[in-house]
Short mmCIF file of all heavy atoms in Angstrom, two decimals:
data_model
loop_
_atom_site.label_atom_id
_atom_site.label_comp_id
_atom_site.label_asym_id
_atom_site.label_seq_id
_atom_site.Cartn_x
_atom_site.Cartn_y
_atom_site.Cartn_z
N MET A 14 -13.88 17.15 21.56
CA MET A 14 -13.58 16.63 20.26
C MET A 14 -12.70 17.62 19.55
O MET A 14 -12.86 18.84 19.69
CB MET A 14 -14.90 16.44 19.47
CG MET A 14 -14.71 15.92 18.07
SD MET A 14 -16.21 15.72 17.18
CE MET A 14 -16.70 14.12 17.70
N ALA A 15 -11.83 17.13 18.73
CA ALA A 15 -10.89 18.01 18.00
C ALA A 15 -11.67 18.84 16.99
O ALA A 15 -12.69 18.44 16.50
CB ALA A 15 -9.88 17.15 17.25
N ALA A 16 -11.12 20.02 16.71
CA ALA A 16 -11.76 20.97 15.81
C ALA A 16 -11.59 20.59 14.35
O ALA A 16 -12.38 20.88 13.49
CB ALA A 16 -11.28 22.38 16.05
N ALA A 17 -10.48 19.88 14.01
CA ALA A 17 -10.23 19.48 12.67
C ALA A 17 -9.34 18.28 12.58
O ALA A 17 -8.55 18.04 13.47
CB ALA A 17 -9.53 20.66 11.95
N ALA A 18 -9.51 17.54 11.54
CA ALA A 18 -8.69 16.34 11.31
C ALA A 18 -7.86 16.65 10.04
O ALA A 18 -8.36 17.17 9.07
CB ALA A 18 -9.56 15.13 11.03
N ALA A 19 -6.57 16.27 10.13
CA ALA A 19 -5.70 16.47 8.94
C ALA A 19 -5.73 15.23 8.14
O ALA A 19 -5.60 14.10 8.64
CB ALA A 19 -4.28 16.80 9.43
N LEU A 20 -5.86 15.37 6.84
CA LEU A 20 -5.83 14.28 5.93
C LEU A 20 -4.54 14.32 5.19
O LEU A 20 -4.23 15.29 4.50
CB LEU A 20 -7.03 14.35 4.96
CG LEU A 20 -7.09 13.32 3.87
CD1 LEU A 20 -7.35 11.96 4.47
CD2 LEU A 20 -8.20 13.67 2.87
N LEU A 21 -3.74 13.27 5.27
CA LEU A 21 -2.39 13.29 4.63
C LEU A 21 -2.37 12.28 3.53
O LEU A 21 -2.79 11.15 3.62
CB LEU A 21 -1.32 12.88 5.73
CG LEU A 21 -1.31 13.76 6.93
CD1 LEU A 21 -0.31 13.20 7.92
CD2 LEU A 21 -0.96 15.20 6.59
N ALA A 22 -1.81 12.68 2.40
CA ALA A 22 -1.57 11.78 1.31
C ALA A 22 -0.36 10.97 1.62
O ALA A 22 0.45 11.27 2.46
CB ALA A 22 -1.35 12.60 0.05
N THR A 23 -0.19 9.79 0.96
CA THR A 23 0.81 8.88 1.34
C THR A 23 2.08 8.97 0.48
O THR A 23 3.02 8.25 0.71
CB THR A 23 0.27 7.42 1.18
OG1 THR A 23 -0.21 7.25 -0.15
CG2 THR A 23 -0.83 7.18 2.18
N SER A 24 2.14 9.85 -0.47
CA SER A 24 3.27 9.93 -1.35
C SER A 24 4.29 10.93 -0.84
O SER A 24 4.11 11.61 0.12
CB SER A 24 2.86 10.32 -2.75
OG SER A 24 2.63 11.72 -2.77
N ALA A 25 5.47 10.95 -1.54
CA ALA A 25 6.49 11.92 -1.18
C ALA A 25 6.06 13.37 -1.32
O ALA A 25 6.53 14.24 -0.75
CB ALA A 25 7.76 11.63 -2.05
N ASN A 26 5.09 13.59 -2.22
CA ASN A 26 4.55 14.94 -2.48
C ASN A 26 3.36 15.19 -1.61
O ASN A 26 2.43 15.84 -2.05
CB ASN A 26 4.19 15.09 -3.94
CG ASN A 26 5.37 14.92 -4.89
OD1 ASN A 26 6.48 15.17 -4.51
ND2 ASN A 26 5.07 14.59 -6.13
N ALA A 27 3.34 14.64 -0.43
CA ALA A 27 2.15 14.69 0.43
C ALA A 27 1.59 16.08 0.60
O ALA A 27 2.35 17.03 0.81
CB ALA A 27 2.47 14.05 1.81
N GLN A 28 0.34 16.14 0.50
CA GLN A 28 -0.41 17.37 0.73
C GLN A 28 -1.41 17.13 1.80
O GLN A 28 -1.58 15.99 2.20
CB GLN A 28 -1.17 17.78 -0.60
CG GLN A 28 -0.26 18.05 -1.75
CD GLN A 28 -1.08 18.47 -2.98
OE1 GLN A 28 -2.17 18.98 -2.86
NE2 GLN A 28 -0.51 18.23 -4.13
N SER A 29 -2.08 18.11 2.29
CA SER A 29 -3.06 17.86 3.29
C SER A 29 -4.32 18.72 3.05
O SER A 29 -4.24 19.76 2.38
CB SER A 29 -2.52 18.16 4.70
OG SER A 29 -2.19 19.50 4.88
N ILE A 30 -5.40 18.25 3.58
CA ILE A 30 -6.64 18.96 3.59
C ILE A 30 -7.16 18.89 5.01
O ILE A 30 -7.17 17.85 5.60
CB ILE A 30 -7.67 18.34 2.60
CG1 ILE A 30 -7.22 18.44 1.17
CG2 ILE A 30 -9.06 18.94 2.78
CD1 ILE A 30 -8.11 17.72 0.15
N ARG A 31 -7.59 20.00 5.57
CA ARG A 31 -8.15 20.07 6.92
C ARG A 31 -9.65 19.96 6.83
O ARG A 31 -10.25 20.64 6.04
CB ARG A 31 -7.69 21.30 7.60
CG ARG A 31 -6.18 21.31 7.75
CD ARG A 31 -5.64 22.27 8.78
NE ARG A 31 -6.05 22.06 10.15
CZ ARG A 31 -5.49 21.20 10.98
NH1 ARG A 31 -4.63 20.32 10.56
NH2 ARG A 31 -5.90 21.13 12.20
N ILE A 32 -10.18 19.09 7.64
CA ILE A 32 -11.61 18.85 7.68
C ILE A 32 -12.07 19.15 9.10
O ILE A 32 -11.66 18.63 10.08
CB ILE A 32 -11.88 17.36 7.38
CG1 ILE A 32 -11.42 17.03 5.94
CG2 ILE A 32 -13.42 17.07 7.51
CD1 ILE A 32 -11.43 15.57 5.66
N SER A 33 -13.07 20.04 9.15
CA SER A 33 -13.69 20.38 10.46
C SER A 33 -14.52 19.18 10.96
O SER A 33 -15.23 18.60 10.15
CB SER A 33 -14.58 21.61 10.33
OG SER A 33 -15.31 21.81 11.52
N THR A 34 -14.33 18.84 12.19
CA THR A 34 -15.10 17.72 12.79
C THR A 34 -16.19 18.25 13.78
O THR A 34 -16.97 17.48 14.26
CB THR A 34 -14.15 16.75 13.55
OG1 THR A 34 -13.48 17.49 14.58
CG2 THR A 34 -13.12 16.16 12.62
N GLN A 35 -16.12 19.47 14.05
CA GLN A 35 -17.02 20.03 15.09
C GLN A 35 -18.48 19.90 14.64
O GLN A 35 -18.87 20.33 13.58
CB GLN A 35 -16.71 21.52 15.30
CG GLN A 35 -17.32 22.05 16.61
CD GLN A 35 -16.63 23.34 16.98
OE1 GLN A 35 -16.03 24.02 16.15
NE2 GLN A 35 -16.76 23.65 18.26
N GLY A 36 -19.27 19.27 15.52
CA GLY A 36 -20.70 19.10 15.29
C GLY A 36 -21.11 18.12 14.22
O GLY A 36 -22.24 18.09 13.76
N LYS A 37 -20.15 17.26 13.78
CA LYS A 37 -20.41 16.31 12.73
C LYS A 37 -20.40 14.89 13.32
O LYS A 37 -19.72 14.56 14.28
CB LYS A 37 -19.35 16.41 11.63
CG LYS A 37 -19.42 17.69 10.89
CD LYS A 37 -18.40 17.75 9.83
CE LYS A 37 -18.43 19.10 9.17
NZ LYS A 37 -17.30 19.29 8.23
N THR A 38 -21.24 14.03 12.71
CA THR A 38 -21.27 12.66 13.11
C THR A 38 -20.06 11.92 12.53
O THR A 38 -19.43 12.41 11.56
CB THR A 38 -22.57 11.93 12.63
OG1 THR A 38 -22.50 11.86 11.22
CG2 THR A 38 -23.85 12.69 13.10
N ALA A 39 -19.79 10.72 13.02
CA ALA A 39 -18.71 9.89 12.50
C ALA A 39 -18.94 9.60 11.02
O ALA A 39 -18.01 9.62 10.22
CB ALA A 39 -18.61 8.61 13.31
N ASP A 40 -20.20 9.37 10.63
CA ASP A 40 -20.51 9.12 9.21
C ASP A 40 -20.19 10.32 8.33
O ASP A 40 -19.70 10.20 7.20
CB ASP A 40 -21.95 8.67 9.02
CG ASP A 40 -22.19 7.29 9.52
OD1 ASP A 40 -21.28 6.51 9.68
OD2 ASP A 40 -23.40 7.03 9.89
N GLN A 41 -20.52 11.49 8.79
CA GLN A 41 -20.23 12.73 8.05
C GLN A 41 -18.78 12.93 7.91
O GLN A 41 -18.25 13.27 6.84
CB GLN A 41 -20.87 13.93 8.69
CG GLN A 41 -22.37 13.96 8.62
CD GLN A 41 -23.00 15.07 9.49
OE1 GLN A 41 -22.52 15.35 10.61
NE2 GLN A 41 -24.05 15.70 9.01
N ILE A 42 -18.04 12.70 8.99
CA ILE A 42 -16.55 12.86 8.95
C ILE A 42 -15.95 11.84 7.96
O ILE A 42 -15.11 12.19 7.17
CB ILE A 42 -15.96 12.71 10.36
CG1 ILE A 42 -16.43 13.86 11.26
CG2 ILE A 42 -14.44 12.64 10.28
CD1 ILE A 42 -16.11 13.66 12.72
N ARG A 43 -16.43 10.55 8.09
CA ARG A 43 -15.89 9.57 7.13
C ARG A 43 -16.16 9.96 5.69
O ARG A 43 -15.24 9.83 4.88
CB ARG A 43 -16.53 8.18 7.46
CG ARG A 43 -16.00 7.08 6.53
CD ARG A 43 -16.55 5.74 6.89
NE ARG A 43 -15.99 5.30 8.19
CZ ARG A 43 -14.80 4.72 8.28
NH1 ARG A 43 -14.00 4.63 7.24
NH2 ARG A 43 -14.35 4.33 9.47
N ALA A 44 -17.35 10.43 5.41
CA ALA A 44 -17.61 10.80 4.02
C ALA A 44 -16.71 11.99 3.59
O ALA A 44 -16.25 11.93 2.40
CB ALA A 44 -19.10 11.24 3.91
N GLU A 45 -16.46 12.92 4.38
CA GLU A 45 -15.56 14.07 4.06
C GLU A 45 -14.15 13.61 3.92
O GLU A 45 -13.43 14.06 3.04
CB GLU A 45 -15.74 15.17 5.08
CG GLU A 45 -17.02 15.88 4.97
CD GLU A 45 -17.05 17.20 5.81
OE1 GLU A 45 -16.02 17.83 5.99
OE2 GLU A 45 -18.13 17.50 6.25
N VAL A 46 -13.69 12.68 4.74
CA VAL A 46 -12.33 12.13 4.62
C VAL A 46 -12.17 11.42 3.31
O VAL A 46 -11.17 11.59 2.60
CB VAL A 46 -12.01 11.20 5.83
CG1 VAL A 46 -10.73 10.42 5.60
CG2 VAL A 46 -11.88 12.04 7.09
N VAL A 47 -13.13 10.55 2.94
CA VAL A 47 -13.06 9.83 1.66
C VAL A 47 -13.04 10.78 0.52
O VAL A 47 -12.26 10.64 -0.41
CB VAL A 47 -14.21 8.78 1.59
CG1 VAL A 47 -14.33 8.23 0.18
CG2 VAL A 47 -14.07 7.69 2.58
N LYS A 48 -13.88 11.82 0.53
CA LYS A 48 -13.97 12.79 -0.55
C LYS A 48 -12.62 13.52 -0.69
O LYS A 48 -12.13 13.75 -1.81
CB LYS A 48 -15.09 13.79 -0.32
CG LYS A 48 -15.28 14.79 -1.38
CD LYS A 48 -16.47 15.65 -1.12
CE LYS A 48 -16.60 16.78 -2.23
NZ LYS A 48 -17.71 17.65 -1.96
N ALA A 49 -12.06 13.92 0.43
CA ALA A 49 -10.75 14.65 0.41
C ALA A 49 -9.68 13.70 -0.05
O ALA A 49 -8.81 14.13 -0.83
CB ALA A 49 -10.44 15.18 1.80
N ALA A 50 -9.70 12.42 0.33
CA ALA A 50 -8.66 11.50 -0.07
C ALA A 50 -8.76 11.28 -1.63
O ALA A 50 -7.75 11.18 -2.30
CB ALA A 50 -8.89 10.15 0.64
N GLU A 51 -9.97 11.18 -2.13
CA GLU A 51 -10.17 11.03 -3.55
C GLU A 51 -9.60 12.24 -4.33
O GLU A 51 -8.94 12.07 -5.31
CB GLU A 51 -11.67 10.84 -3.88
CG GLU A 51 -12.14 9.48 -3.44
CD GLU A 51 -13.65 9.31 -3.57
OE1 GLU A 51 -14.37 10.33 -3.70
OE2 GLU A 51 -14.10 8.16 -3.50
N SER A 52 -9.78 13.43 -3.80
CA SER A 52 -9.27 14.64 -4.42
C SER A 52 -7.73 14.62 -4.41
O SER A 52 -7.04 14.85 -5.43
CB SER A 52 -9.77 15.86 -3.70
OG SER A 52 -9.16 17.04 -4.21
N LEU A 53 -7.10 14.35 -3.24
CA LEU A 53 -5.70 14.29 -3.14
C LEU A 53 -5.14 13.19 -4.01
O LEU A 53 -4.10 13.39 -4.72
CB LEU A 53 -5.24 14.06 -1.72
CG LEU A 53 -5.46 15.23 -0.73
CD1 LEU A 53 -5.08 14.74 0.68
CD2 LEU A 53 -4.61 16.42 -1.12
N CYS A 54 -5.72 12.05 -3.96
CA CYS A 54 -5.19 10.87 -4.70
C CYS A 54 -5.32 11.03 -6.19
O CYS A 54 -4.55 10.50 -6.97
CB CYS A 54 -5.79 9.58 -4.21
SG CYS A 54 -5.26 9.20 -2.51
N TRP A 55 -6.37 11.76 -6.63
CA TRP A 55 -6.53 12.01 -8.09
C TRP A 55 -5.28 12.77 -8.55
O TRP A 55 -4.67 12.44 -9.57
CB TRP A 55 -7.82 12.81 -8.38
CG TRP A 55 -8.02 13.02 -9.79
CD1 TRP A 55 -8.62 12.14 -10.60
CD2 TRP A 55 -7.63 14.11 -10.53
NE1 TRP A 55 -8.62 12.69 -11.95
CE2 TRP A 55 -8.00 13.89 -11.92
CE3 TRP A 55 -6.91 15.30 -10.24
CZ2 TRP A 55 -7.77 14.80 -12.92
CZ3 TRP A 55 -6.67 16.24 -11.28
CH2 TRP A 55 -7.09 15.94 -12.61
N ARG A 56 -4.90 13.78 -7.79
CA ARG A 56 -3.73 14.59 -8.20
C ARG A 56 -2.44 13.76 -8.10
O ARG A 56 -1.57 13.94 -8.94
CB ARG A 56 -3.57 15.82 -7.24
CG ARG A 56 -4.63 16.85 -7.52
CD ARG A 56 -4.48 18.02 -6.61
NE ARG A 56 -5.55 18.09 -5.70
CZ ARG A 56 -5.61 18.75 -4.58
NH1 ARG A 56 -4.52 19.39 -4.16
NH2 ARG A 56 -6.62 18.73 -3.81
N GLU A 57 -2.39 12.87 -7.11
CA GLU A 57 -1.17 12.03 -6.89
C GLU A 57 -0.97 10.95 -7.95
O GLU A 57 0.14 10.54 -8.22
CB GLU A 57 -1.24 11.35 -5.52
CG GLU A 57 -1.21 12.28 -4.37
CD GLU A 57 0.13 12.91 -4.11
OE1 GLU A 57 1.17 12.22 -4.38
OE2 GLU A 57 0.22 14.06 -3.68
N THR A 58 -2.05 10.54 -8.62
CA THR A 58 -1.95 9.42 -9.53
C THR A 58 -2.05 9.82 -11.00
O THR A 58 -2.09 8.95 -11.83
CB THR A 58 -3.02 8.31 -9.23
OG1 THR A 58 -4.32 8.98 -9.29
CG2 THR A 58 -2.80 7.76 -7.83
N VAL A 59 -2.11 11.08 -11.31
CA VAL A 59 -2.12 11.52 -12.72
C VAL A 59 -0.82 11.04 -13.39
O VAL A 59 0.27 11.20 -12.83
CB VAL A 59 -2.17 13.09 -12.77
CG1 VAL A 59 -1.91 13.54 -14.23
CG2 VAL A 59 -3.53 13.57 -12.30
N GLY A 60 -0.97 10.36 -14.48
CA GLY A 60 0.17 9.81 -15.21
C GLY A 60 0.63 8.46 -14.80
O GLY A 60 1.57 7.89 -15.35
N ALA A 61 -0.05 7.83 -13.86
CA ALA A 61 0.31 6.48 -13.43
C ALA A 61 -0.07 5.48 -14.51
O ALA A 61 -0.95 5.72 -15.34
CB ALA A 61 -0.44 6.11 -12.14
N SER A 62 0.67 4.37 -14.56
CA SER A 62 0.41 3.35 -15.56
C SER A 62 -1.02 2.81 -15.42
O SER A 62 -1.66 2.54 -16.43
CB SER A 62 1.38 2.20 -15.44
OG SER A 62 2.70 2.68 -15.65
N PHE A 63 -1.47 2.61 -14.23
CA PHE A 63 -2.87 2.09 -13.95
C PHE A 63 -3.51 3.05 -12.98
O PHE A 63 -3.58 2.77 -11.78
CB PHE A 63 -2.76 0.65 -13.35
CG PHE A 63 -2.12 -0.30 -14.30
CD1 PHE A 63 -0.76 -0.64 -14.16
CD2 PHE A 63 -2.87 -0.89 -15.34
CE1 PHE A 63 -0.17 -1.57 -15.02
CE2 PHE A 63 -2.25 -1.77 -16.23
CZ PHE A 63 -0.92 -2.10 -16.03
N PRO A 64 -3.93 4.22 -13.48
CA PRO A 64 -4.41 5.29 -12.56
C PRO A 64 -5.59 4.89 -11.67
O PRO A 64 -5.67 5.30 -10.55
CB PRO A 64 -4.74 6.42 -13.51
CG PRO A 64 -4.90 5.85 -14.87
CD PRO A 64 -4.03 4.60 -14.88
N VAL A 65 -6.52 4.13 -12.26
CA VAL A 65 -7.69 3.72 -11.46
C VAL A 65 -7.30 2.87 -10.27
O VAL A 65 -7.70 3.08 -9.11
CB VAL A 65 -8.76 3.03 -12.28
CG1 VAL A 65 -9.92 2.52 -11.44
CG2 VAL A 65 -9.28 3.99 -13.34
N ASP A 66 -6.41 1.88 -10.50
CA ASP A 66 -5.95 1.00 -9.45
C ASP A 66 -5.10 1.78 -8.47
O ASP A 66 -5.19 1.66 -7.24
CB ASP A 66 -5.15 -0.16 -10.02
CG ASP A 66 -6.00 -1.11 -10.88
OD1 ASP A 66 -7.21 -1.15 -10.61
OD2 ASP A 66 -5.46 -1.76 -11.73
N ALA A 67 -4.19 2.63 -8.98
CA ALA A 67 -3.33 3.44 -8.13
C ALA A 67 -4.12 4.35 -7.24
O ALA A 67 -3.87 4.54 -6.05
CB ALA A 67 -2.34 4.18 -8.95
N ARG A 68 -5.19 4.96 -7.83
CA ARG A 68 -6.00 5.90 -7.09
C ARG A 68 -6.77 5.16 -5.98
O ARG A 68 -6.85 5.65 -4.83
CB ARG A 68 -6.99 6.59 -8.02
CG ARG A 68 -7.65 7.78 -7.45
CD ARG A 68 -8.48 8.56 -8.50
NE ARG A 68 -7.58 8.96 -9.59
CZ ARG A 68 -7.80 8.66 -10.87
NH1 ARG A 68 -8.85 8.01 -11.24
NH2 ARG A 68 -6.90 9.05 -11.79
N ARG A 69 -7.29 3.99 -6.23
CA ARG A 69 -8.03 3.22 -5.26
C ARG A 69 -7.14 2.85 -4.08
O ARG A 69 -7.48 2.98 -2.94
CB ARG A 69 -8.64 1.97 -5.87
CG ARG A 69 -9.39 1.06 -4.94
CD ARG A 69 -10.51 1.62 -4.06
NE ARG A 69 -11.30 2.68 -4.64
CZ ARG A 69 -11.83 3.71 -3.94
NH1 ARG A 69 -11.69 3.80 -2.67
NH2 ARG A 69 -12.58 4.62 -4.57
N LEU A 70 -5.92 2.38 -4.40
CA LEU A 70 -4.97 2.00 -3.36
C LEU A 70 -4.60 3.26 -2.51
O LEU A 70 -4.47 3.18 -1.28
CB LEU A 70 -3.69 1.43 -3.98
CG LEU A 70 -3.84 0.04 -4.58
CD1 LEU A 70 -2.61 -0.40 -5.35
CD2 LEU A 70 -4.17 -0.98 -3.46
N CYS A 71 -4.40 4.39 -3.18
CA CYS A 71 -4.03 5.64 -2.49
C CYS A 71 -5.16 6.07 -1.59
O CYS A 71 -4.93 6.43 -0.42
CB CYS A 71 -3.69 6.74 -3.52
SG CYS A 71 -3.36 8.37 -2.83
N VAL A 72 -6.43 6.08 -2.07
CA VAL A 72 -7.53 6.41 -1.24
C VAL A 72 -7.64 5.51 0.00
O VAL A 72 -7.82 6.00 1.10
CB VAL A 72 -8.86 6.46 -2.09
CG1 VAL A 72 -10.06 6.57 -1.12
CG2 VAL A 72 -8.84 7.54 -3.13
N ASP A 73 -7.58 4.21 -0.23
CA ASP A 73 -7.68 3.27 0.88
C ASP A 73 -6.54 3.55 1.92
O ASP A 73 -6.91 3.57 3.10
CB ASP A 73 -7.59 1.79 0.36
CG ASP A 73 -8.82 1.43 -0.46
OD1 ASP A 73 -9.85 2.10 -0.42
OD2 ASP A 73 -8.74 0.35 -1.11
N ALA A 74 -5.35 3.74 1.48
CA ALA A 74 -4.28 3.94 2.38
C ALA A 74 -4.39 5.25 3.12
O ALA A 74 -4.11 5.38 4.34
CB ALA A 74 -2.92 3.87 1.61
N THR A 75 -4.86 6.32 2.41
CA THR A 75 -5.01 7.62 3.00
C THR A 75 -6.11 7.63 4.07
O THR A 75 -5.93 8.20 5.12
CB THR A 75 -5.27 8.65 1.92
OG1 THR A 75 -4.17 8.65 0.94
CG2 THR A 75 -5.45 10.09 2.49
N VAL A 76 -7.25 7.00 3.75
CA VAL A 76 -8.35 6.94 4.70
C VAL A 76 -7.90 6.18 5.89
O VAL A 76 -8.14 6.56 7.05
CB VAL A 76 -9.62 6.33 4.02
CG1 VAL A 76 -10.67 6.04 5.08
CG2 VAL A 76 -10.17 7.26 2.94
N LYS A 77 -7.23 5.08 5.70
CA LYS A 77 -6.77 4.22 6.81
C LYS A 77 -5.79 4.97 7.69
O LYS A 77 -5.91 4.98 8.96
CB LYS A 77 -6.11 2.92 6.30
CG LYS A 77 -5.67 2.01 7.39
CD LYS A 77 -5.13 0.68 6.83
CE LYS A 77 -4.66 -0.19 7.90
NZ LYS A 77 -4.18 -1.47 7.42
N ALA A 78 -4.88 5.69 7.05
CA ALA A 78 -3.89 6.47 7.83
C ALA A 78 -4.54 7.62 8.63
O ALA A 78 -4.19 7.92 9.77
CB ALA A 78 -2.76 7.05 6.91
N THR A 79 -5.52 8.25 7.98
CA THR A 79 -6.23 9.32 8.67
C THR A 79 -6.99 8.80 9.90
O THR A 79 -6.90 9.39 10.98
CB THR A 79 -7.27 9.97 7.68
OG1 THR A 79 -6.53 10.49 6.56
CG2 THR A 79 -7.99 11.13 8.42
N PHE A 80 -7.66 7.69 9.77
CA PHE A 80 -8.40 7.17 10.91
C PHE A 80 -7.49 6.55 11.93
O PHE A 80 -7.87 6.40 13.12
CB PHE A 80 -9.51 6.21 10.46
CG PHE A 80 -10.64 6.96 9.85
CD1 PHE A 80 -11.12 6.62 8.60
CD2 PHE A 80 -11.23 8.03 10.50
CE1 PHE A 80 -12.14 7.34 8.03
CE2 PHE A 80 -12.29 8.72 9.92
CZ PHE A 80 -12.73 8.39 8.64
N ALA A 81 -6.30 6.19 11.58
CA ALA A 81 -5.31 5.66 12.50
C ALA A 81 -4.90 6.81 13.51
O ALA A 81 -4.54 6.58 14.63
CB ALA A 81 -4.11 5.10 11.87
N GLN A 82 -4.98 8.05 12.99
CA GLN A 82 -4.68 9.23 13.83
C GLN A 82 -5.92 9.62 14.65
O GLN A 82 -5.77 10.44 15.54
CB GLN A 82 -4.34 10.42 12.96
CG GLN A 82 -3.13 10.24 12.11
CD GLN A 82 -2.91 11.41 11.14
OE1 GLN A 82 -3.44 12.52 11.37
NE2 GLN A 82 -2.15 11.23 10.08
N ALA A 83 -7.10 9.11 14.38
CA ALA A 83 -8.35 9.51 15.05
C ALA A 83 -8.23 9.52 16.58
O ALA A 83 -8.70 10.43 17.18
CB ALA A 83 -9.51 8.72 14.55
N PRO A 84 -7.72 8.47 17.20
CA PRO A 84 -7.67 8.54 18.70
C PRO A 84 -6.90 9.71 19.22
O PRO A 84 -7.34 10.37 20.19
CB PRO A 84 -6.95 7.19 19.03
CG PRO A 84 -7.24 6.30 17.91
CD PRO A 84 -7.20 7.17 16.72
N GLY A 85 -5.84 10.12 18.57
CA GLY A 85 -5.07 11.30 18.93
C GLY A 85 -5.80 12.56 18.73
O GLY A 85 -5.50 13.62 19.30
N LEU A 86 -6.77 12.52 17.85
CA LEU A 86 -7.59 13.68 17.54
C LEU A 86 -8.84 13.79 18.44
O LEU A 86 -9.62 14.76 18.29
CB LEU A 86 -8.00 13.73 16.11
CG LEU A 86 -6.83 13.78 15.08
CD1 LEU A 86 -7.35 13.57 13.70
CD2 LEU A 86 -6.11 15.10 15.17
N GLY A 87 -9.05 12.77 19.27
CA GLY A 87 -10.23 12.82 20.12
C GLY A 87 -11.48 12.31 19.39
O GLY A 87 -12.58 12.55 19.84
N LEU A 88 -11.35 11.57 18.34
CA LEU A 88 -12.46 11.07 17.58
C LEU A 88 -12.69 9.58 17.89
O LEU A 88 -11.74 8.83 18.09
CB LEU A 88 -12.19 11.19 16.04
CG LEU A 88 -11.96 12.60 15.53
CD1 LEU A 88 -11.63 12.50 14.01
CD2 LEU A 88 -13.21 13.45 15.73
N THR A 89 -13.95 9.20 17.95
CA THR A 89 -14.23 7.78 18.07
C THR A 89 -15.04 7.44 16.78
O THR A 89 -16.15 7.92 16.60
CB THR A 89 -15.15 7.51 19.29
OG1 THR A 89 -14.40 8.00 20.43
CG2 THR A 89 -15.45 6.06 19.46
N LEU A 90 -14.45 6.63 15.99
CA LEU A 90 -15.04 6.28 14.67
C LEU A 90 -15.16 4.79 14.53
O LEU A 90 -14.18 4.05 14.84
CB LEU A 90 -14.20 6.87 13.50
CG LEU A 90 -14.04 8.38 13.56
CD1 LEU A 90 -12.96 8.83 12.60
CD2 LEU A 90 -15.36 9.06 13.24
N ALA A 91 -16.25 4.29 14.05
CA ALA A 91 -16.37 2.87 13.78
C ALA A 91 -15.54 2.46 12.61
O ALA A 91 -15.39 3.16 11.62
CB ALA A 91 -17.86 2.54 13.48
N GLN A 92 -14.89 1.32 12.80
CA GLN A 92 -14.07 0.82 11.67
C GLN A 92 -14.40 -0.64 11.44
O GLN A 92 -14.85 -1.33 12.37
CB GLN A 92 -12.58 0.95 12.00
CG GLN A 92 -12.13 2.36 12.10
CD GLN A 92 -10.61 2.43 12.31
OE1 GLN A 92 -9.95 1.47 12.60
NE2 GLN A 92 -10.11 3.67 12.23
N ARG A 93 -14.24 -1.11 10.27
CA ARG A 93 -14.51 -2.51 9.93
C ARG A 93 -13.38 -3.39 10.15
O ARG A 93 -12.26 -3.06 10.12
CB ARG A 93 -14.98 -2.62 8.46
CG ARG A 93 -16.23 -1.89 8.22
CD ARG A 93 -16.57 -2.03 6.74
NE ARG A 93 -17.61 -1.02 6.50
CZ ARG A 93 -18.43 -1.10 5.52
NH1 ARG A 93 -18.42 -2.12 4.69
NH2 ARG A 93 -19.34 -0.21 5.33
#
């Protein structure tokens, strides 16, 4: 299993947060990815016309993009 997963924001000012995956369940990793995405997206959507909507779209896209990378990271995560 990979030692860390990179979480990438979707904007031009993309930042990243590294999350350790070692010894964690898929549910724990998912929770940490969502929390990190919320943090990044909060910063990305400051000043948006509709910040709550923009933030939710950003979080959803960031989480989806992160888990799309999961097979390359050696992670097996349940998705809906």
Side-chain angles (χ1 to χ4, degrees):
M14 182 182 274
L20 175 66
L21 304 176
T23 57
S24 77
N26 297 336
Q28 297 180 26
S29 65
I30 294 176
R31 296 196 63 79
I32 299 169
S33 172
T34 59
Q35 196 163 21
K37 295 180 183 173
T38 66
D40 288 338
Q41 290 171 320
I42 294 168
R43 179 174 291 280
E45 288 190 31
V46 167
V47 169
K48 183 177 177 180
E51 288 171 345
S52 176
L53 289 174
C54 290
W55 183 85
R56 289 182 247 161
E57 294 287 328
T58 57
V59 170
S62 298
F63 299 97
V65 173
D66 294 333
R68 193 170 304 124
R69 176 55 34 214
L70 290 172
C71 177
V72 168
D73 291 346
T75 302
V76 169
K77 184 176 180 177
T79 300
F80 288 127
Q82 296 175 22
L86 299 171
L88 300 175
T89 302
L90 301 167
Q92 295 183 351
R93 294 179 195 204

